[in-house]
Amino acid sequence: MNVAAGGNDTAVRGGSAAAKTQRFVTRPAGDVEWTIHEALADRLLGEAGLRWAEWTAPHAASVVKTGPHRTVYRLDLPAGEFYLKQFRLADWKALLRNLVRTCPAEIEWQAAHRIAACGLPTFETIAVGRRMRAGVVCENYLVTRGIPGALPLDQFWQSVVARISAARQAIVRQQLAGVLGRLTARLHRSGVEHADFHAGNLLVVWNGSDLPELFVIDLNAARFHRVLAPAARRRNLALLYRSMALIATLADRLRFFQAYSAELSAAAADRDEINRLEAACRASAHAGWRRADRAWRRGNRHVRQLDTPATGCRGLAVLDAQRLAMIRDNPESLFAEQLDYWCKRSGRHRVAAVTPLLQGSSSLAFWKCIDYRSWYDRLLGRFRESAVRRGWEIGHAFLRRGIATPMPLLFVEARGPGLRRDYLLTEAVRHSTTLAEFCAAQWPRLLPVQQRHWKLGLTRRLALQLRRLHECRYDHRDLKFQNILVSQDPAADAVWLLDLDAVRAWPWRSRSRAVQNLARLNVSSLMRTMFQKTDRLRFLKTYLGVRFAAEWRNWWRAIACRSRKKQYQNQHRGRPLT
């Protein structure tokens, strides 16, 4: 056993530059060469390598995330909580990368050392291992120590902040925005550009009373510069902007930019500078979303493609490939064998709640079948994208942009002539119901104070969702109460958009399309007596934001005119209003 290195490598908490000097040793175990913390070498390694037999028996090892290129395990051991990343050669591109540069585990190992040396908060590295084959690293491992009580920032925001009282929530949001702004400024001042800087790669530790602490992780995407250029800073901020789109309000972003500017330049930024920074982040974020849309359509590491000459099939990479292939070959089996209950059965559509038994997904999902029976649909199907493929693409585009919708899990589309049936599997949102069903069944049972609070939360959340939808240049042509999902808990204000077949993307922001969407929603609200003019005006105020004072009258008149036109059309055609 040889002593390999000593270095500063521990979690730096609260921005402190202090770090403990640790001794690392080089040890071969099986066919893997390890550089490992001396005190933990015997606890983690045996003669054949990692002590998997000891960890799997008492369920000490669990999979956090997995994919073709990497699997992350959580290890709950007597020595503490650790995380193990196992990197694999998923394709020829990964092989070429390992030929010309250091393997991913060692890149992250070195980056953690450099960031800790800068006095920035990150994780403690424990070990790095390399399995060589023909002179090339084919598998590599990184072991890090877990940070007690830490949650990813997006998960912390949604699962912790959302559940505390409104007064306490406001304080925590202000603290988080300030801490995040100062941490980002410190990273940029140190010349660090995190190429995957999103909320999932920031961990939060909060004990309920002190300021939240943030830690940067996933450092194989970190790049180091002597001085970080303004363009690189804006690019980094845009990445964070994209991931925080749904959970950060305008006030949160304002506090973030103020803290960021004050920490970076030791002077508070004026309003014009913050507006320029916000506009640059928004433009860069939209460009990044469009690139991500194109990569998703081509197929990336997050997508599993199982196409055949007769059938097109794609699913999430975390799902079991064998089960996906079985569903692709016999999609009707879910209706026959895993059916829970029917949601809709008509001549063209069938929708059922099913249990698909897919590893990596929730136990309940919705299986939708579209049956193209007319010659018109079959003819057009040869020249345009199928509805299920469009729902798959738009659903994930929505989620990337922070627009809430149930996640599409897989789709199956028929190819070639003859009878055509397409299928789409979407996750089921637990404890939810459509807005129409809530108004009919649950609203009458609420107390007056509950009714008021529910309407306030619903109008605000729905207005923000639709403003986000239109800012991202999408429109939903069938925006009625049946196509809006809400929580069954009246205290929650979560909203999800359904029926993505009716969604279209536009190269520009169209006011006429936005008016059509809001008018369709207004027609649904006119059918329910619980919504008054004050509720509609409050909705419009939230939707327009800072433009409300100057534009609300024009929008109000346009929506009313379009609503009357929709009502007349349905009456003339004999269609009921919903």
Side-chain angles (χ1 to χ4, degrees):
M1 184 184 298
N2 301 318
V3 176
N8 294 333
D9 200 35
T10 187
V12 183
R13 304 184 67 91
S16 172
K20 295 186 289 185
T21 301
Q22 302 175 349
R23 293 174 59 85
F24 292 90
V25 296
T26 300
R27 172 187 287 189
D31 55 352
V32 180
E33 185 77 16
W34 288 91
T35 301
I36 188 168
H37 191 287
E38 185 179 28
L40 295 170
D42 293 331
R43 300 187 184 187
L44 298 178
L45 299 178
E47 294 183 0
L50 292 170
R51 299 181 180 273
W52 285 111
E54 301 176 15
W55 301 338
T56 54
H59 304 288
S62 57
V63 176
V64 176
K65 65 170 72 171
T66 186
H69 70 297
R70 179 189 64 181
T71 301
V72 181
Y73 300 91
R74 175 179 173 175
L75 309 176
D76 291 310
L77 308 178
E81 177 188 333
F82 301 91
Y83 287 88
L84 168 65
K85 287 186 179 182
Q86 179 186 12
F87 297 91
R88 296 180 290 271
L89 294 181
D91 50 30
W92 62 269
K93 295 179 183 178
L95 174 63
L96 289 180
R97 281 196 295 266
N98 284 2
L99 276 173
V100 299
R101 71 177 190 184
T102 310
C103 63
E106 193 159 353
I107 288 175
E108 189 161 5
W109 167 278
Q110 294 171 356
H113 277 261
R114 294 185 65 173
I115 286 183
C118 294
L120 297 169
T122 187
F123 52 80
E124 177 187 354
T125 54
I126 299 299
V128 61
R130 313 160 197 84
R131 174 178 284 118
M132 307 289 293
R133 189 171 298 166
V136 181
V137 178
C138 61
E139 269 191 349
N140 47 107
Y141 305 85
L142 177 70
V143 182
T144 62
R145 190 184 295 276
I147 300 173
L151 285 174
L153 177 57
D154 51 356
Q155 183 181 339
F156 173 81
W157 209 301
Q158 294 171 356
S159 63
V160 178
V161 177
R163 295 180 180 177
I164 59 181
S165 65
R168 185 63 179 149
Q169 185 179 127
I171 296 173
V172 176
R173 292 176 77 97
Q174 293 172 15
Q175 293 174 339
L176 268 177
V179 171
L180 181 57
R182 289 189 290 273
L183 173 62
T184 307
R186 290 172 59 200
L187 281 170
H188 292 173
R189 194 172 56 201
S190 302
V192 180
E193 178 188 4
H194 199 307
D196 197 17
F197 194 53
H198 59 80
N201 285 336
L202 291 163
L203 298 184
V204 183
V205 175
W206 185 58
N207 61 8
S209 57
D210 298 331
L211 277 174
E213 295 183 80
L214 291 177
F215 297 85
V216 188
I217 62 171
D218 205 8
L219 301 180
N220 57 348
R223 301 167 185 168
F224 297 88
H225 310 266
R226 285 186 58 193
V227 177
L228 198 60
R233 293 203 301 268
R234 288 195 297 270
R235 189 165 58 241
N236 226 201
L237 290 172
L239 288 172
L240 187 61
Y241 182 95
R242 285 160 55 185
S243 70
M244 299 291 286
L246 180 62
I247 54 181
T249 64
L250 181 61
D252 296 328
R253 296 197 298 273
L254 176 62
R255 293 187 188 95
F256 169 85
F257 285 129
Q258 287 174 336
Y260 175 82
S261 301
E263 182 73 21
L264 196 64
S265 59
D270 58 22
R271 183 175 296 274
D272 291 338
E273 181 182 351
I274 290 177
N275 288 339
R276 287 194 297 270
L277 198 57
E278 168 93 1
C281 285
R282 187 185 302 113
S284 181
H286 281 293
W289 283 322
R290 289 192 294 271
R291 287 194 301 271
D293 293 342
R294 291 192 293 270
W296 185 266
R297 181 176 292 276
R298 290 192 305 268
N300 55 20
R301 69 174 185 266
H302 304 293
V303 180
R304 194 183 296 279
Q305 302 184 53
L306 298 173
D307 296 341
T308 67
T311 307
C313 177
R314 291 193 181 189
L316 298 181
V318 297
L319 303 180
D320 180 63
Q322 185 176 2
R323 181 62 179 161
L324 278 178
M326 293 173 61
I327 294 174
R328 176 202 62 194
D329 296 337
N330 186 14
E332 286 291 323
S333 64
L334 289 187
F335 288 127
E337 301 170 8
Q338 271 78 47
L339 176 68
D340 265 36
Y341 58 88
W342 285 102
C343 303
K344 179 180 181 180
R345 278 192 286 186
S346 64
R348 193 167 183 262
H349 295 89
R350 287 178 294 156
V351 182
V354 298
T355 307
L357 304 178
L358 282 167
Q359 182 181 358
S361 73
S362 60
S363 58
L364 189 66
F366 289 102
W367 190 226
K368 179 178 182 178
C369 173
I370 304 177
D371 196 344
Y372 299 95
R373 296 185 177 182
S374 68
W375 66 268
Y376 177 78
D377 285 333
R378 295 181 194 176
L379 179 62
L380 288 183
R382 299 187 180 188
F383 304 102
R384 68 182 182 185
E385 193 173 59
S386 69
V388 297
R389 175 66 183 270
R390 190 164 60 248
W392 164 268
E393 300 291 347
I394 290 177
H396 287 283
F398 272 20
L399 294 173
R400 280 189 287 273
R401 288 160 174 79
I403 303 170
T405 188
M407 180 182 292
L409 301 175
L410 68 95
F411 73 87
V412 179
E413 58 179 353
R415 293 175 176 173
L419 179 64
R420 176 172 178 176
R421 286 176 177 170
D422 295 341
Y423 302 84
L424 178 67
L425 186 70
T426 308
E427 73 167 351
V429 180
R430 292 289 186 179
H431 309 298
S432 64
T433 184
T434 65
L435 181 53
E437 292 171 350
F438 187 97
C439 292
Q442 293 186 242
W443 170 267
R445 299 200 298 265
L446 299 180
L447 298 174
V449 65
Q450 291 178 309
Q451 292 177 344
R452 174 172 173 77
H453 288 162
W454 179 81
K455 281 201 301 183
L456 289 173
L458 173 73
T459 53
R460 178 183 176 277
R461 174 58 63 186
L462 187 55
L464 291 174
Q465 282 286 289
L466 296 188
R467 184 170 75 184
R468 186 76 186 161
L469 178 81
H470 295 152
E471 284 178 349
C472 294
R473 303 169 188 173
Y474 288 95
D475 85 290
H476 195 305
R477 298 176 298 167
D478 198 18
L479 199 63
K480 56 188 178 183
F481 278 22
Q482 284 85 346
N483 290 333
I484 296 172
L485 202 65
V486 298
S487 174
Q488 292 178 344
D489 181 6
D493 59 358
V495 173
W496 299 266
L497 301 183
L498 304 178
D499 195 14
L500 303 188
D501 295 351
V503 174
R504 294 294 182 272
W506 298 86
W508 62 87
R509 290 175 63 181
S510 173
R511 185 178 185 272
S512 64
R513 299 309 307 164
V515 169
Q516 187 277 336
N517 292 179
L518 298 181
R520 184 65 189 89
L521 184 64
N522 185 51
V523 169
S524 278
S525 72
L526 290 172
M527 306 300 296
R528 277 86 182 173
T529 57
M530 72 276 296
F531 294 102
Q532 308 299 322
K533 285 186 178 180
T534 52
D535 300 316
R536 298 183 184 94
L537 187 62
R538 189 178 294 113
F539 172 92
L540 190 59
K541 182 177 182 179
T542 305
Y543 175 83
L544 292 176
V546 296
R547 299 179 294 151
F548 175 77
E551 302 181 19
W552 77 269
R553 289 181 179 86
N554 292 334
W555 281 83
W556 184 274
R557 296 186 186 115
I559 292 170
C561 180
R562 195 64 180 259
S563 298
R564 289 192 296 268
K565 182 179 178 181
K566 175 64 177 174
Q567 290 171 323
Y568 172 78
Q569 285 177 345
N570 279 39
Q571 184 179 7
H572 181 70
R573 296 170 183 174
R575 295 180 180 176
L577 285 170
T578 56

